[in-house]
Every structure is written in structure tokens, then in C-alpha cells.
Amino acid sequence: MDYIAIVDLGSQYTHLIHKRLTYMSVNSILTPEFDQNVYNAKAVIVSGSPLSALRDDIKEIEENVYNIINMGKPLLGICFGHQLLSLMFGGKIINNPEYGRTKIYLKKRNELLYNLDNIEEVWMSHGDCVNEAGDAEVNAVSERGCISAIKIPNVNVFGVQFHPEVSHTRKGELILKNFARLSGFAINEISINEKVSNYYANELYDIKSMYKGGKVVSAVSGGIDSTVATYIVMKAIGSKNVISVLIDHGLFRENEVDEAIKNLNKIGINPIYINASNDFITRLEGVESCEERRKIIGELFAEKLNKIITEEAASYLIQGTTYPDVIESGKTKHSQKIKSHHNVGGIPKWFDVQLIEPLKGLYKDEIRELGSILGIPKEILSRHPFPGPGLAVRIIGKFTNEKLDLLRKADKIVSDELKSRGIYNSLWQSVVSISESWVGVKGDEREEGYIINVRLVTSNDGMTADYYLPSNDVVDDISHRITNEVKKITAVSFITSTKPPATIEPC
């Protein structure tokens, strides 16, 4: 079987290359090593990485890239891969970071850049920048002067500084198609429905194969991930074998628990309700580090779930882990941890139960499609992503119950305003956070209060995101309502940063 080998050197976006190629019906494999699978591939893509091409400990990577080039295989270096190729062929690198939306100017087209315009909008995420290409041909330069695309003469070896795999690079899909074609692959595009339907069929088979009987526990929140994951397992092994549990950690949004239970009941998920809010909030009081909060919440969740598992003599736990959760928790060889997700990095080591994670190969857009195939109501599928630790990771500075209460009220105002104006469903996510402090004047008196930060973003899969800034009247109304209706809020800000450099959630 012919395939493209994608060498995963730790980029947050590497899996998106595989995803893009899958939708073109181009076979590809992901590997963290330059193993035999790479040497047997028809073509190779070297991903981005948190590594620097200037480090001394990447000689082994460099040697393998030389070997592949000498074998005559087409090769595409992305970000780190681009920088490495430049250095290998006599180029130079300086520190000149570029993040998010960036314009590049094409100097010379080749097979990789076929059908691109003279000026293109791409997505950058790098600290080092190629400023001299050496023997390589310069094909594009960025608005900040970085060499953004190169070709090595006389071979099908290319480098691009930007990330063609992310949706925010406008012609990124075309670039990957061009690389696949010049590598000898035919393009046969498939729909998200077809891809997800195949994934679902395979997952049903895998769950049935691994399940050896007994009870299965699932922690549900009413969100997309946990709902779809639970529903799939119920389909695979029967609803009578699945015990769903909704643990109220006191960190949900206003009225969220009641709405979640109502929506879950519609599709036959009837969770055991456990009110543990006092336990969670007491443990979190005064904790400043968001990473520590995630660990605390993961530990407490495990304790509560372990009690149910023990009582029911269950052998399995369902988790709605998605692929971005795995990536951001630093679970691939070269990747760095951005934050622990409660269902990946937050699970304590003592928690010994077999996991069923039917969504860990999917992104949010694919999970929504899968939910639609399964007939899950739109009320659930249209909900914005919400972190497992809830509002606890939207409180900047020390966690206090006062901040939590104020944040919950402000979040409700933002959500109501967005929904009433028809904006909510066009967004990937609306993230409302609270930080301190801002001196205000209320009733002719000084008041030192808190800042409410509103972050509205658009995205396809959550791996990259662009900010959304509503019209002035919407901004005014949200700000006016929050400062008037929520005590101790003295300022409202709207965050206008892309991902990268900012993450979607504040911490």
C-alpha cells in the first residue's frame, strides 16, 4: 500500500495533516520516529515541533532527512521541518516570531504552490525565522520578512514556514493536495459524513471486541463529548450495562445542570445525580494555579467515580477524550504540555480502571457530525465547548467562591445577549473569565472590583482560532449590563488575540 509518512515531531497540529489527507482519500501514517515505515513510504512530511532547529541534539533527525532526500522521495517540511531544511542547505535562522494570521508574498511558484495567488493569508506559529535560504530556492516571503516557502533544487523537497494543515491557512488544503499529487497520489475527496460514518462503524466493532462483560460507568455533563461517547457505548453493548453519573462540582454555568439532565433524558441517558459542589469548591478555595486546580478536580472526580465503580463492581469507565485533549496534555513523544485535561492529564495514577474512549481520534467538528448521525438533539450538539473543570479554569488569580458567583452571572449575560442577537451559533466558543483588579467609580465612590474578560472565537476544530469582535452596539450592551447587573465588576474587556499565540481558554 502506498502512503505518506508523517513524522510527528511534536507540533500541536500534526494530526491535522493526517486528517486533511484522509479527506482526500490519501493513505498516511503518523509516527514519532524515523522508523522503517518512514523509509518505506512513497513520500514524507516532517512536521512542526517545539524543538528548535538550532539545537545540537537534532543531528539524528537531520541525518534521517538527508537519507530520505538521497532516496529520491518527495519531502515536505512544515515549520520546524522548513527551518531544518534551510539550515541543511546553507541557510540561516534568527529569532523573529510570527503567530496567527499572516500574509505571505509569492516570489516564484512551483508544483507545491500551484494555483496560489500572489498574496496569500496563512497561519503561523513559530519563534525562529529563516532569513537566508542558502542553496534553496526562495518561493515566498512573509510580511515580517521571514522566508516562508522554499524548494531544494533538482529534487521534490519543499519547506513552508506556515501550517497548511490548519483551516485558517486559506489555501492550505490546496497545498497538501499539490504535494500529494506531485508524490504520485490521486485525489478522491470524501465528505465528513462518510469519514465519520466509517469511524463510527470501526469504533462499534472495537468496543464490542474489548468489552468482556459487566458494568460500565460514564461521567456525563450534558456536553457534546461525554454525551456522544456514552451514547456510542450504549449502542455497542446495550444501555442496561452503562451507568451514567452526573457529578455536580459546583462549577457549571447558571441552570446548566437542570438543562443537561433534561436533554440527556431525551435520548435515554438517565444519570445518577451527585451534588459534590461543596467538596470541590472547598478544596479549590484560595488555589491560584490553574494547573493545580485541574489536578485537584481530576483527583476529586476520580474519588467520586471510584466510589460508584466500586459499588457497582464496574470494570470500565467511558471518557469523552478528544484528540485535541490528548495533544494539549503532551501525550505524544515530542509534544509539550500546554495544560492537563481532567480526562487525560488530570486522572491520578492510582485510578485503576480500563478506559473506553470512543472519541479520542476525532475533533469537535467530527464529533458534532457523529452526534447528528446518531440522532442526538441539536440542543446538545449546538452547545459551545465547555472545559471539564468548568468555570474553575476561567478564574484568573486566586480561586474564590465570590469570583465564581460573579463570573457565573456575567457568563449568563453574555450567553443571553449572543443568543438573542443570533450570534451564538455562528461562534465556536464564547469564553467569559474574571480577573483582578480594576479601580472603578460607582455612585461617586471609589470601588476596587474585578474585570470580566469576554473572548469570542471562530474555529473548525479548536486547534487554531480567530477572534470575533461583535458590533459596537453588542459590545456596549454586554459591557453595560455586566457592570450594572453584577456587583463588584468595574471593567469589561474583549480579547482580540488569535490561537496561537493565545489559547482559547485563559488557563
Side-chain angles (χ1 to χ4, degrees), residues 249 251-253 297 386-395 404 505:
H249 49 26
L251 304 167
F252 287 107
R253 292 167 289 199
I297 291 166
F386 188 62
L391 297 176
V393 290
R394 295 181 178 178
I395 294 173
L404 176 63
E505 294 288 344

Side-chain angles (χ1 to χ4, degrees), residues 4 42-48 65 68-69 72-89 108-114 116 130 133 136-140 147-162 164 175-184:
I4 295 176
K42 193 171 184 178
V44 177
I45 295 176
V46 179
S47 81
V65 171
I68 291 163
I69 293 173
K73 295 181 184 292
L75 184 142
L76 172 61
I78 296 174
C79 196
F80 168 84
H82 164 78
Q83 296 168 8
L84 181 64
L85 285 171
S86 299
L87 287 177
M88 288 169 58
F89 287 87
K108 187 174 182 180
R109 283 176 181 75
N110 53 39
E111 303 97 313
L112 185 74
L113 305 178
Y114 177 70
L116 266 67
V130 177
E137 174 185 279
V138 176
N139 300 119
I147 295 173
S148 302
I150 61 170
K151 182 183 186 300
I152 307 305
N154 305 317
V155 287
N156 281 327
V157 177
F158 309 85
V160 291
Q161 180 61 76
F162 53 89
I175 291 170
L176 291 176
K177 282 180 180 177
N178 288 342
F179 181 72
R181 287 193 181 102
L182 69 86
S183 301

Side-chain angles (χ1 to χ4, degrees), residues 307-318:
K307 183 177 180 182
I308 298 292
I309 289 167
T310 302
E311 290 173 354
E312 299 291 341
S315 302
Y316 303 89
L317 174 66
I318 302 167

Side-chain angles (χ1 to χ4, degrees), residues 112-174:
L112 185 74
L113 305 178
Y114 177 70
N115 269 350
L116 266 67
D117 293 329
N118 292 333
I119 302 174
E120 289 288 353
E121 187 173 286
V122 300
W123 212 251
M124 297 285 194
S125 181
H126 64 95
D128 294 333
C129 153
V130 177
N131 69 325
E132 292 184 27
D135 295 333
E137 174 185 279
V138 176
N139 300 119
V141 177
S142 77
E143 60 188 86
R144 294 196 65 185
C146 294
I147 295 173
S148 302
I150 61 170
K151 182 183 186 300
I152 307 305
N154 305 317
V155 287
N156 281 327
V157 177
F158 309 85
V160 291
Q161 180 61 76
F162 53 89
H163 289 272
E165 66 270 32
V166 306
S167 59
H168 285 95
T169 293
R170 296 280 176 85
K171 299 279 182 64
E173 183 177 359
L174 174 60

